[in-house]
Amino acid sequence: MDVKYIAKLANLHLTSTEETKFQKQFIDTLQTVDLINKLDTSHIQPTSQITGLVNIMREDTIDTSRILPPPAHNKGYFKVPAIFNAQ
Amino acid sequence: MLNKLTLIQALHGLKQKKFSSRQLVQACLDQIDKYDSKIHAFLSINSDALKEADKIDTHLPLGGIPIAVKDNFLTIGLPTTASSKVLDGYMPHYESTVTARLKSAGAIILGKTNMDAWAHGSSTETSDYGSTKNPWNMDYLPGGSSGGSAAAVASDMCIAAIGSETAGSIRQPAAWCGVTGFKPTYGRVSRYGVIAMASSTDSPGPIGKTVQDCALINQIIAGHDSYDATTSSLPISTANIELPKKLKIGLPKEYLEVLQPETKEQVLKAVDQLKSLGHSIEEMSLIHPKYSIGVYTIIQRSEVSSNLARYDGIRYGHGRDKFGQEAKRRIILGTYALSAGYYDQYYNKAQKVRTLIIKDFQKAFSRYDLIIDPVSPGPALKVGASTDEPMFGEMQDILVEPSSIAGLTGISVPCGTIRNLPVGFGLIGPQFSEQLILAAGHQLQQATTWHHEKPTL
């Protein structure tokens, strides 16, 4: 596994110490995980969720009873840190 | 000492006006003051708890009862951090369904309890705010990830607590702390407002002093929620947990093999108790739980990598540089398992083995009402045991991963101690068999006194 590349995909910054440490740990983890390849799953469908529920819908209505209203002066918006330099 | 009461006892006392909710809450707060600097079960305490107690209607189903809540449940007015520095100081903008239902039922949220950061663990040691200690022996871990909740109940700092389980995170800390932990079927209790770990197995549930207590809380928090599309519309268990019949219970030999010898001895004592209650116990076979480790590791980490992508430090929380080692490891492994070229080998394969495990249980439950699931290979481990062990959680949870992967329901009840460290006895049942699990657990507790044992603090 190219830890550096995967970390970039996951938007995580790793120090070079962490990279080396993780690289070794992942080899061990993947070895334990590889055990599942011993089981025969030809003709088996994958299960992604176990409830068996399909296409659960609800009315497209807004319910604000469980949320904190944002302060009135925010005019319904949530305030977040600026991600570009202002001005 | 009012804080030592069970939920049922406390409700009776409140309704008969033997004491007030304020006195009950104060007793818990006093216990926290006395012991929590050492045990560290709580991350935050509700400073309005006494005020709320004064105003509460004790006729409500949980009226006036102080309950501790794991810090991955969003609670308006109380910080919610999932024990991670990424959410340090985060004040939620909405209430989780579980805590909303508890509050409507009159419960007082006493405070938020410590956990493994992001629920990534089985020790509570990965908390970014320091580990919780096991009240039975402070050199030992409480288990995890709901370690704070389990420790709070075990040390009578609250009357009951809420935890969540992705694979063992309710049952294992309950076992290690000598209390009762109940994991409802996946889809029984709404995950709305619970900081997501593995969305296909996360199951909120109660940790309490008795099975009866857990059954009552389950009745309040379980049930369909329009905010969580994975919740079931099936009717939930009633508070009546009397067993309707003698049960046929399976004892998987592969699970017994995983137990340490002394733990196996204790578990078999509980099995004997079930026999003496008239149930038939039969040794049987299930897919060896060692395969569940790989399945769970892949599925969980894949879902974690997706669920933690939202913590971008822009809309809420701090930057991704604040993630701890364990979180980073899990996100990276999950990203890898889902990445192009590896998806089939890992994620898809794990999903297929998941189907095998589900079918294995279905076959077993066509023959048995319940299956014995001993929860943990041994009692609590020493503080530090999880450090630098990337697969610590998965190895500790080997016995509970299969039932979690299959979305089943299960319980852990105390069944004695080994050198003053508690051992848990577990039962699992098919999806939506909460009534049966709770009834069997309750019957066992009525015939035994293990759940009355408390740590000397």
Side-chain angles (χ1 to χ4, degrees):
Chain A
M1 187 207 293
D2 183 348
V3 175
K4 199 169 180 155
Y5 169 67
I6 301 290
K8 184 154 186 265
L9 277 185
N11 193 13
L12 286 176
H13 170 72
L14 298 182
T15 62
S16 53
T17 325
E18 279 174 330
E19 259 176 53
T20 324
K21 186 160 132 179
F22 285 0
Q23 195 86 56
K24 165 81 182 49
Q25 287 174 335
F26 285 137
I27 293 174
D28 296 337
T29 302
L30 289 172
Q31 228 160 33
T32 312
V33 157
D34 267 330
L35 194 61
I36 62 175
N37 287 313
K38 291 221 159 61
L39 294 176
D40 179 14
T41 54
S42 42
H43 314 301
I44 300 288
Q45 287 303 306
T47 299
S48 56
Q49 61 102 342
I50 43 189
T51 62
L53 296 169
V54 181
N55 292 345
I56 302 298
M57 313 283 256
R58 66 174 175 85
E59 287 305 311
D60 186 14
T61 54
I62 297 173
D63 174 10
T64 55
S65 63
R66 297 249 295 274
I67 59 171
L68 264 185
H73 60 263
N74 283 356
K75 298 187 178 65
Y77 289 88
F78 289 97
K79 208 158 109 167
V80 297
I83 54 172
F84 299 114
N85 290 326
Q87 259 99 34
Chain B
M1 297 217 54
L2 297 176
N3 57 299
K4 295 200 173 162
L5 295 175
T6 66
L7 176 53
I8 302 284
Q9 289 168 340
L11 279 172
H12 281 156
L14 285 169
K15 290 198 166 54
Q16 285 161 16
K17 302 214 193 301
K18 293 209 169 116
F19 45 81
S20 66
S21 172
R22 168 173 270 263
Q23 286 172 298
L24 189 57
V25 172
Q26 188 64 62
C28 291
L29 291 173
D30 290 342
Q31 187 80 343
I32 292 171
D33 271 335
K34 217 167 158 187
Y35 295 109
D36 204 37
S37 55
K38 283 183 259 155
I39 293 176
H40 193 39
F42 284 89
L43 291 180
S44 61
I45 303 289
N46 179 5
S47 53
D48 289 332
L50 289 169
K51 255 195 288 182
E52 288 169 24
D54 286 334
K55 289 190 282 187
I56 208 70
D57 175 2
T58 53
H59 291 103
L60 291 169
L62 294 176
I65 302 288
I67 294 190
V69 175
K70 187 176 179 183
D71 207 25
N72 58 346
F73 287 79
L74 265 53
T75 44
I76 289 180
L78 286 175
T80 302
T81 66
S83 286
S84 170
K85 289 275 162 77
V86 172
L87 288 178
D88 190 41
Y90 173 62
M91 297 298 285
H93 289 94
Y94 67 100
E95 189 79 26
S96 72
T97 295
V98 166
T99 52
R101 287 181 179 180
L102 287 172
K103 285 181 184 174
S104 302
I108 314 277
I109 309 294
L110 196 60
K112 308 302 288 301
T113 55
N114 200 14
M115 51 186 282
D116 281 291
W118 306 106
H120 295 171
S122 307
S123 61
T124 307
E125 250 184 339
T126 66
S127 166
D128 286 351
Y129 298 99
S131 185
T132 299
K133 304 291 193 295
N134 192 318
W136 291 77
N137 184 330
M138 303 282 192
D139 291 333
Y140 286 76
L141 296 166
S145 59
S146 311
S149 283
V153 173
S155 55
D156 289 313
M157 288 192 222
C158 58
I159 298 300
I162 297 292
S164 68
E165 172 158 337
T166 306
S169 291
I170 287 177
R171 291 178 283 167
Q172 187 249 35
W176 283 19
C177 288
V179 291
T180 300
F182 175 58
K183 178 208 174 287
T185 306
Y186 173 84
R188 253 313 183 201
V189 182
S190 173
R191 291 174 299 110
Y192 182 74
V194 183
I195 294 176
M197 183 187 174
S199 304
S200 75
T201 71
D202 286 351
S203 304
I207 295 178
K209 302 181 191 183
T210 67
V211 174
Q212 257 191 318
D213 289 0
C214 288
L216 185 48
I217 294 179
N218 182 59
Q219 222 199 337
I220 302 295
I221 62 176
H224 180 258
D225 181 20
S226 59
Y227 286 108
D228 178 353
T230 60
T231 52
S232 165
S233 303
L234 289 175
I236 58 172
S237 320
T238 65
N240 171 22
I241 47 170
E242 296 307 319
L243 261 181
K245 55 174 181 170
K246 296 292 179 233
L247 300 173
K248 191 160 176 224
I249 305 179
L251 179 55
K253 57 177 165 21
E254 292 82 3
Y255 287 31
L256 281 182
E257 262 170 43
V258 172
L259 296 177
Q260 291 164 17
E262 288 172 302
T263 302
K264 186 170 166 182
E265 234 177 85
Q266 288 300 124
V267 165
L268 291 176
K269 281 190 188 146
V271 171
D272 284 337
Q273 268 298 323
L274 285 175
K275 282 190 193 150
S276 71
L277 290 167
H279 304 298
S280 87
I281 315 280
E282 201 178 280
E283 207 179 69
M284 39 84 82
S285 201
L286 286 175
I287 293 179
H288 200 288
K290 66 183 178 185
Y291 294 105
S292 296
I293 296 180
V295 174
Y296 174 67
T297 302
I298 292 295
I299 291 178
Q300 175 241 90
R301 281 156 169 74
S302 300
E303 294 179 11
V304 158
S305 72
S306 172
N307 282 324
L308 265 50
R310 66 187 58 135
Y311 299 100
D312 49 22
I314 296 171
R315 292 163 294 166
Y316 38 70
H318 307 279
R320 290 173 79 76
D321 55 303
K322 299 279 190 302
F323 276 125
Q325 295 262 297
E326 188 59 33
K328 284 189 197 174
R329 263 199 291 261
R330 294 196 185 204
I331 292 169
I332 290 175
L333 196 82
T335 307
Y336 175 67
L338 291 172
S339 62
Y342 295 101
Y343 180 92
D344 274 316
Q345 181 183 349
Y346 291 111
Y347 191 65
N348 215 17
K349 179 74 186 184
Q351 302 270 54
K352 290 180 180 179
V353 179
R354 186 176 196 173
T355 306
L356 288 180
I357 293 170
I358 291 169
K359 286 188 189 307
D360 192 39
F361 275 122
Q362 281 171 345
K363 202 173 78 190
F365 283 123
S366 68
R367 295 198 55 200
Y368 301 100
D369 297 305
L370 296 178
I371 291 173
I372 289 162
D373 184 356
V375 184
S376 181
L381 293 173
K382 273 199 159 153
V383 168
S386 77
T387 318
D388 274 335
E389 287 287 332
M391 291 291 279
F392 178 84
E394 282 67 25
M395 295 310 208
Q396 290 308 313
D397 290 331
I398 182 176
L399 291 169
V400 287
E401 276 153 20
S403 48
S404 297
I405 288 165
L408 307 178
T409 173
I411 199 165
S412 176
V413 295
C415 70
T417 56
I418 295 173
R419 283 178 290 286
N420 204 42
L421 288 171
V423 178
F425 177 74
L427 289 167
I428 52 178
Q431 285 178 298
F432 307 113
S433 65
E434 284 83 8
Q435 195 83 10
L436 206 54
I437 288 275
L438 291 166
H442 178 54
Q443 194 198 45
L444 187 60
Q445 283 193 339
Q446 283 179 304
T448 58
T449 55
W450 292 311
H451 59 293
H452 292 314
E453 290 169 35
K454 299 257 189 183
T456 317
L457 297 174

